[in-house]
Structures are given as structure tokens and as C-alpha cells.
Amino acid sequence: MNLSFQDTTSNAGSTSTSTSSIPDKIEKQQEIGRAKAFFTKIGMMSYIASMCIALPLTLLPTALLHKAGLISTNKKEHLSLRTGQFCSRWLMRIIPFANVQVIKKSNINSNTQINNNNNNNNNIPEPSIWVCNHISMLDVFVLLAKDKTLRGKNKRPIKIVYWKDLEKNPVTKILFKMSGFIPVKMADNGNGKANAYDTSSFRLLLKSIKQAFKDGFDIGILPEGQLNPTPENGLQPVFSGAYTLAKMSRRPIKMMGLHGLHKLWHPDENIGMKVTGRKVSITAYPIGRRFESGEEFVNAFQNVVGYFGAHGTDLPNWERWFDGTEWKNLQRHNRAPGAADTSN
């Protein structure tokens, strides 16, 4: 069973920058003064500590109801995810350590939503696979806190596919397992190195994803497979597993983008919580597409989400990656006589 989680497609635009010089670059990227950075760090640490207390306490009633057989597993997961979102959202309001801007898409041409083969009522969201870049350990909490603003009220909750070793953190373990998030096993090779997945966990992964769609959830995947220490240079190598899962489940892929969180909590352990900025941007691209190939998906993700991750703004004409126009133009260019080979 091959889920193509390894990077077998083009990675033009992905970063391969060595992390050895990252601390020096961070010093030059200081956006706020030392005093403001200090108090921002205190606020962030207070937020994390508060989450460590609030999550177990607020999830306890749901856990007890489920253990007593008074609610189903599906109900437990929906309630737990809503509880996690509530805690993340309100604690971020009480402790506003980051200036988070949600960039909403208000002028989307419905004609762009092609290749969906979706005959459902437009008010009923189609089950989808969401993909996002990964720049900080804060990513999941910001996504939980801003999900309602980002994707609106009429949405399907998202179950995230995560690295099982994250369960070593007891608070993360409680939230992820109570919400029914889906673990995948892989070796801890460190940032910037190829992921080594345990393929024996793929069968359970597929079964869990199928059940999640049936239970009213969408699926969230991080195609980079690891934290990106240099988002300003583009993405880490992108894996096409999301495309494979979308094809097998016959679901469209939708995208989200994060920018600036690494300036609060950096992936490089030599930097960690050395705060250099507090401006964060987050966006969602609600146009779903059934990509024709893993290579098309990788190129679209690199261009659309990679650009947003680097700049905090949308790639000009980003919609053209979701109606297939830019991919067709790229293929046409590559087939032209004398064109350089961009597949490697």
C-alpha cells in the first residue's frame, strides 16, 4: 500500500537552506523592541500555561459522559474539538500575546470552483481535505482559536493527522485523543531531513479518515511533514500524500496558510521562544479542487501557500491554481522547445 508520503514530485520553490545560520538571521529580523518582545514572551508563556490547565479541566465532563456511556464516541469527539476551540479562542482574547489578522476571501468567483463534481446544495459544505503549512508549535492553537472567523459558522470540523510522538506532551495527547485526531507513526529525524514513516500505520490511517468523513469531519494534513524553520524562503519539501488520500477518498483539497508564528515560537530549538515579532496572518482558500496529479497539487501548494507563508499576503491570481489554469500554463511552458526542465 503506497500512500506516497515521500517526496516524489517537483519541489521547485521549496527551501533547502541550511539551518546553521538561522540564529544570525533572526537577530537581523527583530521587528519589535526588546521590552515589547519580553512582555510578548511572558504573555505567550502565560497562554500556554493557561491552556495546560484549562484543557484538562474543560474536557473532563465530556470524558466522564463518554466513559459512562451517556454519549457516543462521535459526540465526544465533536464536543472535545469545540471545547478545544473555545479554550484557544477565549484565552487568546484574554491574553492577546499575538496580533492575529485573519484574511478572509470575500470576492471569490463561484465559476472558479471547477473540477469538484459536487452537486450538493451550496449551503452544505462538501467533505474535504485541508492542507496547511507548518511554521510553529503554536500553529494548532491559532487554527483552533480562529477557525470560526476563518471558515465561518457553516463548516465541518477538522480532524488533524498528526505525528504520534506529539502524544509525549500530556496536554496535547488529551486534546488530540479526545478530539479523535488521527496519529501517524514516523521516526524523529529532525527538521530539514526526510521523514521516515511507519507504513504499517497507513491502513489504520485510511480507515480512520474514511470514518471521519462519515462522522461529519473534514481532514487536516501538513504536507511538509515537519516544522519549517525558514518560511521566508518558501516551503520545506512537500509530500504528495494529501493528494493520494484525496484521490482515494474522492474528496477535493482545500488550503490554509500561516505567516509569522515562527517569530513567536521558532522551530529551531536554538531560537525557540526568542520573540522577534507578534504580527501573525492566517487565511483559508475555500475553493476545493480535485487535482489531476500529485505534481499539480505540490506545485499549487508551493506557489499559493508557500507565497503566503513567506509574505503574509496572497499570491496574485492565486485562483488560477485552483481552476487548473496555471498548471496548464506550466505544462505548456515545459513542453515548449528549448524550455528548461522544472521537474527537478
Side-chain angles (χ1 to χ4, degrees), residues 16-312:
S16 58
T17 304
S18 170
T19 60
S20 60
S21 60
I22 290 177
D24 294 334
K25 292 181 180 179
I26 293 299
E27 289 287 346
K28 298 177 182 178
Q29 294 173 359
Q30 189 78 31
E31 296 177 356
I32 58 178
R34 291 178 181 267
K36 193 170 185 177
F38 172 77
F39 286 111
T40 299
K41 180 178 179 178
I42 294 299
M44 176 174 58
M45 294 176 69
S46 299
Y47 171 83
I48 295 169
S50 299
M51 286 290 289
C52 290
I53 298 171
L55 275 176
L57 290 176
T58 54
L59 288 171
L60 181 60
T62 301
L64 293 176
L65 287 171
H66 180 256
K67 188 173 183 178
L70 297 177
I71 59 174
S72 66
T73 298
N74 185 24
K75 186 69 173 178
K76 179 208 72 171
E77 292 173 351
H78 278 269
L79 287 175
S80 298
L81 185 51
R82 283 203 292 268
T83 299
Q85 291 173 332
F86 177 84
C87 289
S88 299
R89 181 168 62 250
W90 277 100
L91 283 174
M92 199 165 286
R93 290 175 180 176
I94 296 169
I95 312 173
F97 64 91
N99 179 14
V100 183
Q101 179 187 17
V102 178
I103 302 176
K104 302 178 72 173
K105 305 293 181 289
S106 57
N107 297 315
I108 294 178
N109 183 351
S110 61
N111 293 328
T112 307
Q113 300 191 46
I114 67 168
N115 202 21
N116 266 356
N117 301 320
N118 179 23
N119 296 319
N120 293 339
N121 187 303
N122 289 333
N123 293 324
I124 303 175
E126 182 180 14
S128 304
I129 290 178
W130 290 84
V131 292
C132 186
N133 58 329
H134 193 19
I135 57 177
S136 173
M137 291 295 289
L138 292 169
D139 291 352
V140 66
F141 298 112
V142 172
L143 289 172
L144 287 172
K146 299 299 179 180
D147 188 50
K148 187 176 181 180
T149 305
L150 185 65
R151 298 193 299 139
K153 295 181 180 180
N154 184 30
K155 64 184 184 304
R156 293 166 61 94
I158 297 176
K159 277 191 178 184
I160 298 173
V161 176
Y162 68 96
W163 178 34
K164 189 170 178 60
D165 268 24
L166 291 177
E167 294 178 6
K168 292 179 179 178
N169 181 312
V171 176
T172 303
K173 180 179 180 179
I174 291 172
L175 175 62
F176 286 10
K177 292 185 78 67
M178 285 284 291
S179 301
F181 288 0
I182 304 170
V184 61
K185 297 178 181 179
M186 65 179 182
D188 183 5
N189 291 339
N191 293 334
K193 297 181 181 179
N195 294 330
Y197 290 95
D198 181 354
T199 55
S200 65
S201 65
F202 287 169
R203 189 175 297 277
L204 179 59
L205 173 67
L206 290 175
K207 182 179 179 181
S208 300
I209 288 174
K210 183 179 180 180
Q211 186 62 44
F213 283 133
K214 188 180 298 184
D215 290 341
F217 290 91
D218 281 352
I219 298 298
I221 295 177
L222 306 173
E224 293 170 282
Q226 57 185 263
L227 287 161
N228 180 5
T230 55
E232 65 277 3
N233 296 336
L235 301 178
Q236 290 284 298
V238 176
F239 305 109
S240 58
Y243 162 77
T244 306
L245 292 175
K247 183 178 180 180
M248 295 177 71
S249 60
R250 300 180 181 179
R251 302 300 183 188
I253 292 177
K254 298 179 180 179
M255 300 185 184
M256 292 186 283
L258 292 164
H259 170 80
L261 277 170
H262 65 298
K263 297 176 183 177
L264 289 158
W265 190 349
H266 202 279
D268 191 309
E269 61 183 17
N270 294 319
I271 302 169
M273 292 186 180
K274 178 178 174 57
V275 176
T276 59
R278 60 186 303 271
K279 291 183 179 180
V280 175
S281 301
I282 179 173
T283 194
Y285 301 91
I287 299 175
R289 177 165 175 78
R290 289 182 167 89
F291 291 95
E292 297 177 359
S293 67
E295 188 177 7
E296 182 193 1
F297 159 68
V298 168
N299 275 271
F301 186 72
Q302 287 170 343
N303 280 275
V304 176
V305 178
Y307 186 94
F308 186 87
H311 304 282

